[in-house]
Amino acid sequence: MSETLVNNLTGLSGLLLGVLCIIIIYFINRRVGRKKRLFDERQQYVTARSKAAAWNATSVILLAAWALIIIFDGISFSFFLMTGIWVAHNLSLIVTSVYFSNQN
């Protein structure tokens, strides 16, 4: 195996290990939170508001990164990757907005 392939596999294994740790911590946190009754309406309200604010911040960050890619890298793979991320970001907003508005 080449050195770049080994480096890429090492990086991917670190990413997968990080995701696995996040999943384990999530389930432990949910179990402890249920026992302590931490997930009431107040907590759900705070979580919904914080996710909405994080969504707005992510939109601004994505637009800034998109502009920097256009300035420094031009129209290349990075531009189209960022365009795909931007479209997926906004389509998920549309889909979830329609879904939750139909539930009410």
Side-chain angles (χ1 to χ4, degrees), residues 6 14 17 20 31-32 35 37 43 45 51-52 60 62-63 75-77 90-91 95-96 102-103:
V6 171
L17 184 63
L20 183 64
R31 178 174 285 174
V32 170
K35 287 181 183 178
R37 300 178 193 261
Q43 189 272 340
Y45 175 77
K51 285 181 180 180
V60 171
L62 283 174
L63 279 175
I75 305 298
S76 64
F77 175 73
N90 286 307
L91 282 177
V95 169
T96 56
N102 285 336
Q103 280 190 341

Side-chain angles (χ1 to χ4, degrees), residues 41-54:
E41 294 82 18
R42 181 185 54 85
Q43 189 272 340
Q44 290 176 358
Y45 175 77
V46 169
T47 300
R49 295 286 303 231
S50 64
K51 285 181 180 180

Side-chain angles (χ1 to χ4, degrees), residues 2 4 22 36 42 51 61 63 73-75 93 96 100:
S2 68
T4 56
I22 288 171
K36 293 183 178 183
R42 181 185 54 85
K51 285 181 180 180
I61 292 167
L63 279 175
D73 204 20
I75 305 298
L93 174 64
T96 56
F100 287 114

Side-chain angles (χ1 to χ4, degrees), residues 1-75:
M1 285 197 288
S2 68
E3 185 178 339
T4 56
L5 179 62
V6 171
N7 288 339
N8 288 342
L9 290 176
T10 303
L12 284 176
S13 66
L15 179 65
L16 292 174
L17 184 63
V19 169
L20 183 64
C21 288
I22 288 171
I23 290 170
I24 292 169
I25 290 170
Y26 172 79
F27 284 115
I28 291 171
N29 184 37
R30 293 296 293 178
R31 178 174 285 174
V32 170
R34 281 191 198 123
K35 287 181 183 178
K36 293 183 178 183
R37 300 178 193 261
L38 296 178
F39 304 119
D40 58 356
E41 294 82 18
R42 181 185 54 85
Q43 189 272 340
Q44 290 176 358
Y45 175 77
V46 169
T47 300
R49 295 286 303 231
S50 64
K51 285 181 180 180
W55 182 272
N56 293 336
T58 302
S59 295
V60 171
I61 292 167
L62 283 174
L63 279 175
W66 204 9
L68 289 174
I69 286 172
I70 292 171
I71 291 169
F72 292 110
D73 204 20
I75 305 298

Side-chain angles (χ1 to χ4, degrees), residues 83-103:
T83 302
I85 292 171
W86 178 254
V87 169
H89 177 73
N90 286 307
L91 282 177
S92 66
L93 174 64
I94 292 169
V95 169
T96 56
S97 296
V98 169
Y99 174 76
F100 287 114
S101 68
N102 285 336
Q103 280 190 341

